mmCIF file with all atom_site columns, all heavy atoms in Angstrom:
data_model
loop_
_atom_site.group_PDB
_atom_site.id
_atom_site.type_symbol
_atom_site.label_atom_id
_atom_site.label_alt_id
_atom_site.label_comp_id
_atom_site.label_asym_id
_atom_site.label_entity_id
_atom_site.label_seq_id
_atom_site.pdbx_PDB_ins_code
_atom_site.Cartn_x
_atom_site.Cartn_y
_atom_site.Cartn_z
_atom_site.occupancy
_atom_site.B_iso_or_equiv
_atom_site.pdbx_formal_charge
_atom_site.auth_seq_id
_atom_site.auth_comp_id
_atom_site.auth_asym_id
_atom_site.auth_atom_id
_atom_site.pdbx_PDB_model_num
ATOM 1  N N   . TYR A 1 26  ? 113.384 -54.854 125.623 1.00 75.00 ? 1441 TYR A N   1
ATOM 2  C CA  . TYR A 1 26  ? 112.092 -54.862 124.934 1.00 75.00 ? 1441 TYR A CA  1
ATOM 3  C C   . TYR A 1 26  ? 112.292 -54.493 123.434 1.00 75.00 ? 1441 TYR A C   1
ATOM 4  O O   . TYR A 1 26  ? 111.721 -55.117 122.572 1.00 75.00 ? 1441 TYR A O   1
ATOM 5  C CB  . TYR A 1 26  ? 111.140 -53.908 125.589 1.00 75.00 ? 1441 TYR A CB  1
ATOM 6  C CG  . TYR A 1 26  ? 109.867 -53.674 124.804 1.00 75.00 ? 1441 TYR A CG  1
ATOM 7  C CD1 . TYR A 1 26  ? 108.853 -54.635 124.770 1.00 75.00 ? 1441 TYR A CD1 1
ATOM 8  C CD2 . TYR A 1 26  ? 109.701 -52.475 124.063 1.00 75.00 ? 1441 TYR A CD2 1
ATOM 9  C CE1 . TYR A 1 26  ? 107.700 -54.459 124.042 1.00 75.00 ? 1441 TYR A CE1 1
ATOM 10 C CE2 . TYR A 1 26  ? 108.532 -52.322 123.324 1.00 75.00 ? 1441 TYR A CE2 1
ATOM 11 C CZ  . TYR A 1 26  ? 107.554 -53.284 123.322 1.00 75.00 ? 1441 TYR A CZ  1
ATOM 12 O OH  . TYR A 1 26  ? 106.390 -53.073 122.568 1.00 75.00 ? 1441 TYR A OH  1
ATOM 13 N N   . THR A 1 33  ? 111.334 -60.303 116.894 1.00 71.00 ? 1448 THR A N   1
ATOM 14 C CA  . THR A 1 33  ? 110.034 -60.975 116.708 1.00 71.00 ? 1448 THR A CA  1
ATOM 15 C C   . THR A 1 33  ? 109.264 -60.401 115.538 1.00 71.00 ? 1448 THR A C   1
ATOM 16 O O   . THR A 1 33  ? 108.385 -61.072 114.986 1.00 71.00 ? 1448 THR A O   1
ATOM 17 C CB  . THR A 1 33  ? 109.174 -60.829 117.966 1.00 71.00 ? 1448 THR A CB  1
ATOM 18 O OG1 . THR A 1 33  ? 109.061 -59.459 118.357 1.00 71.00 ? 1448 THR A OG1 1
ATOM 19 C CG2 . THR A 1 33  ? 109.782 -61.632 119.125 1.00 71.00 ? 1448 THR A CG2 1
ATOM 20 N N   . ILE A 1 83  ? 120.245 -73.084 98.934  1.00 89.00 ? 1498 ILE A N   1
ATOM 21 C CA  . ILE A 1 83  ? 118.905 -72.501 98.970  1.00 89.00 ? 1498 ILE A CA  1
ATOM 22 C C   . ILE A 1 83  ? 117.966 -73.481 99.717  1.00 89.00 ? 1498 ILE A C   1
ATOM 23 O O   . ILE A 1 83  ? 117.953 -74.680 99.466  1.00 89.00 ? 1498 ILE A O   1
ATOM 24 C CB  . ILE A 1 83  ? 118.334 -72.298 97.545  1.00 89.00 ? 1498 ILE A CB  1
ATOM 25 C CG1 . ILE A 1 83  ? 119.207 -71.331 96.763  1.00 89.00 ? 1498 ILE A CG1 1
ATOM 26 C CG2 . ILE A 1 83  ? 116.895 -71.778 97.611  1.00 89.00 ? 1498 ILE A CG2 1
ATOM 27 C CD1 . ILE A 1 83  ? 118.777 -71.200 95.312  1.00 89.00 ? 1498 ILE A CD1 1
ATOM 28 N N   . LEU A 1 143 ? 121.419 -62.055 123.556 1.00 85.00 ? 1558 LEU A N   1
ATOM 29 C CA  . LEU A 1 143 ? 120.335 -63.020 123.643 1.00 85.00 ? 1558 LEU A CA  1
ATOM 30 C C   . LEU A 1 143 ? 120.951 -64.432 123.550 1.00 85.00 ? 1558 LEU A C   1
ATOM 31 O O   . LEU A 1 143 ? 121.788 -64.681 122.692 1.00 85.00 ? 1558 LEU A O   1
ATOM 32 C CB  . LEU A 1 143 ? 119.353 -62.849 122.484 1.00 85.00 ? 1558 LEU A CB  1
ATOM 33 C CG  . LEU A 1 143 ? 118.777 -61.439 122.281 1.00 85.00 ? 1558 LEU A CG  1
ATOM 34 C CD1 . LEU A 1 143 ? 117.849 -61.402 121.086 1.00 85.00 ? 1558 LEU A CD1 1
ATOM 35 C CD2 . LEU A 1 143 ? 118.047 -60.957 123.509 1.00 85.00 ? 1558 LEU A CD2 1
ATOM 36 N N   . PHE A 1 154 ? 126.423 -78.558 118.875 1.00 85.00 ? 1569 PHE A N   1
ATOM 37 C CA  . PHE A 1 154 ? 125.474 -77.440 118.788 1.00 85.00 ? 1569 PHE A CA  1
ATOM 38 C C   . PHE A 1 154 ? 124.560 -77.459 120.007 1.00 85.00 ? 1569 PHE A C   1
ATOM 39 O O   . PHE A 1 154 ? 123.450 -78.019 119.986 1.00 85.00 ? 1569 PHE A O   1
ATOM 40 C CB  . PHE A 1 154 ? 124.631 -77.527 117.502 1.00 85.00 ? 1569 PHE A CB  1
ATOM 41 C CG  . PHE A 1 154 ? 125.479 -77.696 116.243 1.00 85.00 ? 1569 PHE A CG  1
ATOM 42 C CD1 . PHE A 1 154 ? 125.127 -78.663 115.325 1.00 85.00 ? 1569 PHE A CD1 1
ATOM 43 C CD2 . PHE A 1 154 ? 126.566 -76.923 116.011 1.00 85.00 ? 1569 PHE A CD2 1
ATOM 44 C CE1 . PHE A 1 154 ? 125.872 -78.870 114.167 1.00 85.00 ? 1569 PHE A CE1 1
ATOM 45 C CE2 . PHE A 1 154 ? 127.341 -77.085 114.850 1.00 85.00 ? 1569 PHE A CE2 1
ATOM 46 C CZ  . PHE A 1 154 ? 127.014 -78.062 113.927 1.00 85.00 ? 1569 PHE A CZ  1
ATOM 47 N N   . SER A 1 204 ? 114.808 -77.652 90.104  1.00 60.00 ? 1619 SER A N   1
ATOM 48 C CA  . SER A 1 204 ? 113.907 -78.711 89.761  1.00 60.00 ? 1619 SER A CA  1
ATOM 49 C C   . SER A 1 204 ? 112.449 -78.398 90.024  1.00 60.00 ? 1619 SER A C   1
ATOM 50 O O   . SER A 1 204 ? 111.569 -79.177 89.724  1.00 60.00 ? 1619 SER A O   1
ATOM 51 C CB  . SER A 1 204 ? 114.273 -79.989 90.541  1.00 60.00 ? 1619 SER A CB  1
ATOM 52 O OG  . SER A 1 204 ? 114.251 -79.748 91.941  1.00 60.00 ? 1619 SER A OG  1
#
Side-chain angles (χ1 to χ4, degrees):
Y1441 171 75
T1448 54
I1498 299 172
L1558 308 178
F1569 310 132
S1619 58

